[in-house]
Amino acid sequence: MQYLPPALESLVEHFNRLPGIGAKSAQRLAFYVLDLPKEEAEAFAQSILEAKQAITSCPVCQNLTEGDGPCALCSSLRRDRSTVCVVADPKDVIAMERSGEYNGLYHVLHGVLSPMNHVGPDDLRISQLVSRVASGEVREVIMATNPDTEGETTAMYLSRLLHPFEVRITRLAYGVPVGSHLEYADDATLARALEGRQEI
Amino acid sequence: MQYLPPALESLVEHFNRLPGIGAKSAQRLAFYVLDLPKEEAEAFAQSILEAKQAITSCPVCQNLTEGDGPCALCSSLRRDRSTVCVVADPKDVIAMERSGEYNGLYHVLHGVLSPMNHVGPDDLRISQLVSRVASGEVREVIMATNPDTEGETTAMYLSRLLHPFEVRITRLAYGVPVGSHLEYADDATLARALEGRQEI
């Protein structure tokens, strides 16, 4: 016996497909949306459509943006245009910006090299990075891919690719996370932290 | 410095407004929707609009349904039309149906009496319940509001209201843990509660 009207069932299913939303949460969210004032529910639906339609890639850094021109970061006159931080994902730009310590530009690869998942260099925004570096404006490229196997491999691949250009290539430091406990740090992290120890 | 395009920021905000979805989750969901194929994102937006447009109240039991006629449960020939289970919320119908032990019809109040929140009898679908009972087809009304103060009060109020009619008025047995919500009760508990219902 079906006890949810089809239109509601469909909404529950759509929520259920989102990452981290189980059957119970999906139902709760669907009922919540159903209880919203008509205008708010419509605004929600509209924001999904608009995000899909309006969001494009910045022609410079490949990060998400709106319209045809360069994104707000690439157009900013306050940013240091000689430094480019290479990240895998738009979310990583947000994380870096949150730190408040970086004042250069970015380059978003939209993924990492992953032979297992059939992701090769042509599937990432690598040629655009090479063009940027080749243009001569860039002095330093900071590799900030995730410190896991695929992130490391991608950083290594890119550093070799950019080697012919007169550009400094660096990598985010490894070490123990601030505020964490040594006790819980894994061996590899501790070894790297020791290796990269600095004078105080 | 703003680093999310406005259209994406707006989508994140809409997700953030949903119950139980924090800032991090909202961002993850927005990025996920942005990565969906165009048709799927459109189907999601459409399902929100359709749910809002298509869902109405069943003229008999007041549960959520589509179209003008009685809902699937009220139209079913397999259900016992002489028993009506009164619940506060459409979610409670789902919970009861999940138990698989109930074969009668429902009446959804869409809330409970709550002087604190200015919810009085006129704000609930109480007159419709009285009409159903007055029609003479109903032999038993099972109160299945939440076993908390407001649910109890509502059940007591209704039982007094229905007392003049020749109808058996019962309440779910206290197999349901006091202070909890029907929505989260497990099937076995609900089944027991139904089995042990008592006169009030």
Side-chain angles (χ1 to χ4, degrees):
Chain A
M1 183 85 235
Q2 196 176 351
Y3 29 84
L4 271 189
L8 188 55
E9 187 70 63
S10 155
L11 185 57
V12 172
E13 270 165 35
H14 273 102
F15 274 118
N16 202 174
R17 273 181 226 152
L18 299 178
I21 307 290
K24 274 262 161 117
S25 301
Q27 204 186 86
R28 199 186 60 226
L29 295 176
F31 273 108
Y32 179 85
V33 168
L34 203 63
D35 278 344
L36 283 178
K38 197 163 177 282
E39 311 77 56
E40 271 188 58
E42 283 173 359
F44 183 22
Q46 195 55 38
S47 82
I48 293 174
L49 296 174
E50 264 170 29
K52 282 302 284 183
Q53 279 157 8
I55 305 291
T56 54
S57 287
C58 167
V60 181
C61 73
Q62 311 297 319
N63 195 5
L64 303 173
T65 186
E66 286 176 32
D68 295 329
C71 71
L73 279 167
C74 286
S75 324
S76 171
L77 296 173
R78 295 209 203 123
R79 310 290 295 209
D80 169 14
R81 311 189 69 78
S82 68
T83 314
V84 170
C85 177
V86 177
V87 295
D89 206 89
K91 290 187 200 102
D92 301 330
V93 173
I94 299 173
M96 288 293 292
E97 286 297 293
R98 225 186 297 118
S99 82
E101 289 288 318
Y102 183 64
N103 193 39
L105 302 183
Y106 291 93
H107 193 88
V108 181
L109 297 172
H110 289 273
V112 282
L113 295 175
S114 172
M116 295 276 285
N117 300 312
H118 308 286
V119 180
D122 294 342
D123 300 313
L124 305 177
R125 313 287 172 93
I126 290 179
S127 61
Q128 294 91 336
L129 175 63
V130 175
S131 305
R132 285 178 82 178
V133 173
S135 77
E137 201 184 18
V138 182
R139 295 259 190 86
E140 178 175 357
V141 176
I142 305 172
M143 298 296 168
T145 48
N146 282 325
D148 55 17
T149 317
E150 294 180 341
E152 290 296 333
T153 311
T154 307
M156 286 308 295
Y157 175 87
L158 291 178
S159 67
R160 249 175 258 158
L161 201 65
L162 299 176
H163 199 69
F165 301 100
E166 267 186 26
V167 66
R168 193 179 165 214
I169 302 173
T170 56
R171 172 119 199 51
L172 286 190
Y174 295 103
V176 273
V178 177
S180 67
H181 293 265
L182 272 195
E183 191 182 345
Y184 304 122
D186 61 284
D187 302 348
T189 303
L190 270 182
R192 289 297 193 95
L194 199 61
E195 210 177 275
R197 66 186 182 274
Q198 294 174 336
E199 301 284 343
I200 35 174
Chain B
M1 184 84 234
Q2 195 175 352
Y3 28 85
L4 271 189
L8 188 54
E9 188 69 64
S10 153
L11 185 57
V12 171
E13 269 165 35
H14 273 101
F15 273 118
N16 202 173
R17 271 180 228 154
L18 299 179
I21 306 289
K24 273 263 161 111
S25 301
Q27 204 187 84
R28 199 185 62 225
L29 294 177
F31 273 109
Y32 179 84
V33 168
L34 203 64
D35 278 344
L36 283 177
K38 196 161 178 284
E39 310 78 54
E40 270 187 58
E42 283 173 1
F44 183 21
Q46 196 53 38
S47 81
I48 293 173
L49 296 174
E50 264 172 29
K52 282 301 285 184
Q53 280 158 8
I55 305 290
T56 54
S57 286
C58 167
V60 181
C61 73
Q62 310 297 321
N63 195 5
L64 302 173
T65 186
E66 286 177 31
D68 296 328
C71 70
L73 280 167
C74 286
S75 323
S76 170
L77 296 174
R78 294 208 205 122
R79 311 287 297 208
D80 168 15
R81 311 190 68 80
S82 68
T83 314
V84 170
C85 177
V86 177
V87 295
D89 206 89
K91 291 186 198 101
D92 301 329
V93 172
I94 299 174
M96 287 296 290
E97 285 296 293
R98 225 188 295 119
S99 82
E101 289 285 318
Y102 183 64
N103 194 39
L105 302 183
Y106 292 93
H107 193 87
V108 181
L109 298 172
H110 290 271
V112 283
L113 294 175
S114 172
M116 295 275 287
N117 300 312
H118 308 286
V119 180
D122 293 342
D123 301 312
L124 306 178
R125 312 288 172 92
I126 291 179
S127 62
Q128 293 91 335
L129 174 62
V130 175
S131 305
R132 283 178 85 179
V133 173
S135 78
E137 200 183 20
V138 182
R139 296 257 191 86
E140 177 175 357
V141 176
I142 305 171
M143 299 295 170
T145 47
N146 283 324
D148 55 18
T149 317
E150 294 181 339
E152 289 297 333
T153 311
T154 308
M156 286 308 295
Y157 175 86
L158 291 178
S159 68
R160 250 175 257 156
L161 202 67
L162 298 177
H163 199 70
F165 301 100
E166 266 184 29
V167 65
R168 193 180 166 210
I169 302 172
T170 55
R171 178 140 200 21
L172 285 190
Y174 272 114
V176 223
V178 177
S180 67
H181 291 265
L182 267 198
E183 192 183 342
Y184 303 115
D186 65 284
D187 303 354
T189 307
L190 272 179
R192 286 297 197 83
L194 198 64
E195 226 168 66
R197 66 186 185 270
Q198 294 172 338
E199 303 280 345
I200 30 177

